[in-house]
Amino acid sequence: MAEANILVAHDQFSCSVCLELLKDPVAIPCGHSYCMGCIKNCWDQTDHTGLYSCPQCREAFTPRPVLGRNTMLAEVVEKLKKTGLNPPPAQSYAGPGDVPCDFCTGRKFKAVKSCLTCLASYCETHVKPHYEGAAFKRHKLINAIGNLEQKLCAEHQKVLDIFCRTDQTCVCVLCIDKEHKSHDTVSAEKERSVKQKQLGETQTEIQQRIQERLKETDELKQAVETLKVGIDKRGVLLLLLLLLLTDGLEHIYRSLLSMPDVLLISILTMSPLLCSFTQRSACIEIKESEKIFTELIRSIEKIHTEVIELIGANEKAAVNQAEGRMKKLEQEIAELRRRNAELKQLSETEDHIHFLQNFQSLCAPPEAGDLPSVTVNTDISFGAVRKAVSELKDHIEDFCKGELVKITTTVNEVAVYSLQAPEPRNRAEFLKYSCQLTLDPNTANRNLCLSEENRKVTWRRETQRYPDDHSERFDSKAQVLCREGLSGTRCYWEIEWSGGGASIGVTYKGISRKGEDLSCLLGCNDKSWSVSCSDSSYTARHNNNQTAITAPRSPRIGVYLDFNAGTLSFYGVSDTMTLLHRFQTTFTEPLYPGFWLWGYDSPVTICQLN
């Protein structure tokens, strides 16, 4: 109880400026008491105005009151000091990173609030007048922030509370009467609400990018682990191969056919000498020529050792490539997370000016990643190696030497990892793969009229004058193909259609072109793929199999071909790219874009994309 009384006394006899026990206490006309040094410092700062006010109640005095030491109050304070009970401070002192109170003298307490009207920060004690005094009711208090001078106009020394949309900068009330007089200006609060939505969109985009990069990293880690395991596995397989050789070539061949591991089969069957020996009764040859068989084992042992070293070198390169990619992905993820944290902190600030001043630098959308996607091929196959000799007995050594050269070449040509540009995500990225297409008059049905430098085709009732009938012309179906054959790369083109409808697709050159049979039509055979467009629906076709597609009508269709990946995609093109259908297959020869027109009022045009 005694300690509580002293705590109360300590609070009653503390200076509200320095928050310590009064030193040379003085009472000013309103009745509040201060250290003589503290109140003199406060009033010295306002000498130029001629008005002197109480820091607590804000009562103003003029002229400046004469200060005299309050002897009675000084004696009470001295007795309080002699009790020896000094209570702990009610609040912590400002440390590194904290905003100090602007009104504390000496060692400053940590500010808890900043006033955007006063442009000052206050600790728990000095902020009380803002809660209690009527003169402060309209002041704007926010959580304590530093650099309050940035809230002032550098030219007019007025508070920045207006945003100029024309110049994308914060201005004061005097600026809009001068430099920004005819500009589009709004309150900082209103502009904040608009940009807050944009900030949220940027945060969402960054979070999606983080998830994409995390997924890529996990996939690469799994692929690299599979590769590392594969290296050890192939060493075991080679040892198994040499053991099998001692039991006879016929037994090896039967064992290979029953092996579940595709890689072991590919390693063994790539050598023509095995098949050759089997065909020539390998078991009989082994019995008749033990010397040849022994030399064969030695030769195979040597070539297999060299092949596994070659495979290991390629796999090591693939692992290094993938690990380098993972390091870059991790760096990008760290940077995206840092930006996301900064955006979160900015979105939670109460200070509209601080928000607007930092919005432009922090809210730029993340740049599209330019790293190629990496696919680690864990199912390595060497392919077939040409037969080099027919008589194993006479050419074992020469055959093995020649075969090693061929295998080395084949291994170097087979990619252990593949680098691909990222899949396009918007129209601008699709346009990077745009190609120039022209219609081939030699393929056009005689009722089709080509125009606009062979980029537009229209079905006419009258027969068109084409040169003598060509073997590549569609004689009964209203179809036409392009001159250009597409293979081994990525291509993109766009088509505009109108009227009753049309089919847009690609085909191998060997599509049937004569007669009334439906197999001549795009998508109605195993050589072509198409999407049919009409006012009411879309239909995907291949090998006469149909898939109905539900999507809004689009007069412009984008076609994207990734030949090596075996994908053919059709998009509805507007402000965004709407995927209509994607075919996934393996293309074995060049593809020719083509069109099937359904009626006289259904022209199709190949769009110019550059």
Side-chain angles (χ1 to χ4, degrees), residues 7 10-11 14 18-21 85-94 104 107-110 123-125:
L7 289 175
H10 186 282
D11 185 59
S14 294
C18 67
L19 305 181
E20 296 179 359
L21 286 174
L85 295 175
N86 295 319
Q91 49 197 320
S92 61
Y93 289 106
C104 288
R107 187 174 182 184
K108 295 180 177 291
F109 285 113
K110 179 172 67 176
C123 63
E124 290 182 357
T125 299

Side-chain angles (χ1 to χ4, degrees), residues 429-449:
E429 294 182 4
F430 279 103
L431 290 177
K432 294 178 182 177
Y433 303 101
S434 61
C435 59
Q436 298 296 326
L437 300 177
T438 55
L439 300 170
D440 185 358
N442 292 331
T443 66
N445 179 272
R446 289 188 177 276
N447 286 103
L448 297 182
C449 175

Side-chain angles (χ1 to χ4, degrees), residues 54-110:
C54 173
Q56 293 189 61
C57 68
R58 296 295 175 175
E59 182 178 346
F61 315 108
T62 183
R64 177 169 176 166
V66 178
L67 299 176
R69 187 172 185 269
N70 189 323
T71 306
M72 182 180 296
L73 190 57
E75 293 176 356
V76 173
V77 171
E78 287 301 319
K79 290 181 179 179
L80 186 60
K81 288 180 179 179
K82 291 179 181 179
T83 60
L85 295 175
N86 295 319
Q91 49 197 320
S92 61
Y93 289 106
D98 294 328
V99 178
C101 175
D102 291 323
F103 270 73
C104 288
T105 60
R107 187 174 182 184
K108 295 180 177 291
F109 285 113
K110 179 172 67 176

Side-chain angles (χ1 to χ4, degrees), residues 306-321:
E306 294 176 351
V307 167
I308 198 63
E309 290 175 353
L310 186 61
I311 294 172
N314 277 266
E315 287 183 332
K316 184 178 180 181
V319 170
N320 290 339
Q321 178 76 15

Side-chain angles (χ1 to χ4, degrees), residues 394-570:
D394 299 330
H395 304 290
I396 289 179
E397 293 299 332
D398 291 340
F399 170 78
C400 289
K401 292 178 182 178
E403 199 68 0
L404 176 59
V405 174
K406 294 180 181 180
I407 291 174
T408 302
T409 302
T410 304
V411 169
N412 287 331
E413 291 177 350
V414 175
V416 180
Y417 61 87
S418 60
L419 296 177
Q420 298 177 346
E423 187 77 10
R425 290 178 291 185
N426 53 53
R427 187 167 181 264
E429 294 182 4
F430 279 103
L431 290 177
K432 294 178 182 177
Y433 303 101
S434 61
C435 59
Q436 298 296 326
L437 300 177
T438 55
L439 300 170
D440 185 358
N442 292 331
T443 66
N445 179 272
R446 289 188 177 276
N447 286 103
L448 297 182
C449 175
L450 306 187
S451 59
E452 297 184 11
E453 298 180 341
N454 289 344
R455 288 187 295 105
K456 182 176 181 179
V457 56
T458 309
W459 189 356
R460 303 294 189 192
R461 295 184 184 276
E462 62 275 15
T463 302
Q464 303 299 304
R465 294 183 179 180
Y466 289 114
D468 293 339
D469 198 17
H470 198 282
S471 61
E472 295 183 357
R473 190 178 312 286
F474 292 95
D475 63 355
S476 63
K477 304 302 179 184
Q479 297 189 142
V480 62
L481 302 182
C482 291
R483 294 179 183 273
E484 296 78 9
L486 309 177
S487 64
T489 184
R490 293 180 171 191
C491 301
Y492 177 74
W493 62 97
E494 291 182 357
I495 306 300
E496 287 188 348
W497 67 278
S498 60
S503 289
I504 301 166
V506 297
T507 180
Y508 294 149
K509 196 167 186 177
I511 188 174
S512 177
R513 305 168 192 239
K514 308 300 179 184
E516 294 288 341
D517 193 275
L518 292 179
S519 63
C520 297
L521 294 173
L522 290 172
C524 295
N525 49 69
D526 61 357
K527 295 180 174 61
S528 61
W529 298 258
S530 72
V531 167
S532 299
C533 309
S534 69
D535 287 336
S536 58
S537 65
Y538 297 93
T539 303
R541 288 187 174 90
H542 171 63
N543 203 18
N544 212 27
N545 293 320
Q546 302 183 15
T547 302
I549 303 168
T550 302
R553 182 185 186 278
S554 176
R556 179 174 285 224
I557 302 298
V559 186
Y560 174 66
L561 169 66
D562 189 337
F563 190 93
N564 293 332
T567 60
L568 176 67
S569 306
F570 293 80

